[in-house]
Amino acid sequence: MEQIIQTLKSGGTILYPTDTIWGIGCDATNIDAIEKIFEIKKREKTKSMIILVESEKRLQDLVDVPEMAWEIMDLSEKPVTIIYDHPKGLPKELLAEDGSIGIRLVKNDFLKKLISKLNKPLVSTSANFSGEKSPMKFSDISHEIVDAVDFVVEENQDKVSEYSGSSIIRVWSDGRVKVIRE
């Protein structure tokens, strides 16, 4: 764990198991690390990435959470990423063109501990090249991506993901809701 945290704090990128699929991550407040992930994935900078948080407090520090978002998180059986308006304290490089951000409050113990120790939100984007199939297990990840990141987490490398991704739901402060991905 200490090596992972050191990598992240020094602006590095990691390959790690999330509560859904394998992801590429970095400190969500480090612009250089965010740019490196775009390069690794060969992804257009207009495509935003999501972030993971470990606590309700950190989520509330970043966005105003509409009541409907709390209800969705409470009721969802699978991991759910909610898209919020007007995040605070995040680099524009992470945000969608409309200024919104997707955030997932994780329930997984490994991720909670990791984000808590980093003490910052964590970028999470699928560990594949932009447009390719998401990796359900570590062995699905391209060697080129494995070689490009600064640290590969050993945890759960033999496990197959239960989910091919999170649900993605857009929630506006006026109570409107739109399901982007079930």
Side-chain angles (χ1 to χ4, degrees), residues 18-44:
T18 73
D19 46 351
T20 58
I21 56 175
W22 274 79
I24 303 172
C26 69
D27 168 352
T29 64
N30 186 313
I31 295 167
D32 291 337
I34 293 165
E35 297 284 351
K36 186 173 179 186
I37 290 179
F38 277 109
E39 289 169 23
I40 291 169
K41 284 186 61 84
K42 300 177 180 159
R43 183 179 178 130
E44 294 172 37

Side-chain angles (χ1 to χ4, degrees), residues 53-168:
V53 296
E54 84 290 15
S55 67
E56 292 177 0
K57 182 192 181 318
R58 189 168 318 274
L59 178 62
Q60 290 171 305
D61 287 346
L62 295 171
V63 291
D64 293 325
V65 184
E67 189 56 43
M68 181 56 74
W70 291 121
E71 290 179 33
I72 291 167
M73 286 184 274
D74 286 344
L75 295 172
S76 181
E77 290 181 22
K78 73 183 263 190
V80 62
T81 300
I82 297 185
I83 300 173
Y84 300 92
D85 286 323
H86 316 297
K88 301 170 269 211
L90 292 172
K92 66 179 179 0
E93 289 79 2
L94 266 184
L95 310 181
E97 289 178 325
D98 67 358
S100 64
I101 183 82
I103 305 176
R104 187 159 73 243
L105 177 60
V106 298
K107 296 176 181 166
N108 169 301
D109 289 337
F110 169 75
L111 291 172
K112 280 183 168 188
K113 183 177 175 185
L114 173 63
I115 299 164
S116 180
K117 281 185 171 282
L118 177 62
N119 199 26
K120 294 187 178 164
L122 186 66
V123 167
S124 182
T125 183
S126 56
N128 59 346
F129 293 115
S130 197
E132 290 185 357
K133 194 168 177 269
S134 298
M136 297 298 290
K137 57 188 181 301
F138 181 76
S139 60
D140 292 342
I141 302 168
S142 155
H143 292 296
E144 195 178 332
I145 286 179
V146 173
D147 293 342
V149 298
D150 299 303
F151 188 84
V152 177
V153 174
E154 292 179 14
E155 186 113 357
N156 292 331
Q157 285 191 5
D158 54 353
K159 188 175 172 218
V160 177
S161 176
E162 187 179 343
Y163 305 105
S164 60
S166 66
S167 298
I168 300 176

